[in-house]
Amino acid sequence: MDSPSNSLDAQALQRRRAQRTAWKVGLVAVAVYVGFILSGVIGR
């Protein structure tokens, strides 16, 4: 059986991984958004 500290460590690790994934997805979304804006500006 896991001790409470191991369980908390696992949760903290999972939380950090989830935050890292969320940051990556957010950055990709911002890059796509900026890309569309720039393509509209450059296309004129």
Side-chain angles (χ1 to χ4, degrees):
M1 196 181 287
D2 285 336
S3 69
S5 64
N6 284 346
S7 178
L8 292 175
D9 290 344
Q11 286 179 347
L13 180 61
Q14 187 175 10
R15 188 175 296 113
R16 282 196 301 269
R17 287 178 177 166
Q19 286 176 337
R20 191 178 307 133
T21 300
W23 275 107
K24 288 178 183 177
V25 170
L27 287 174
V28 168
V30 169
V32 170
Y33 179 72
V34 170
F36 275 119
I37 291 175
L38 289 177
S39 68
V41 170
I42 294 172
R44 287 186 172 181

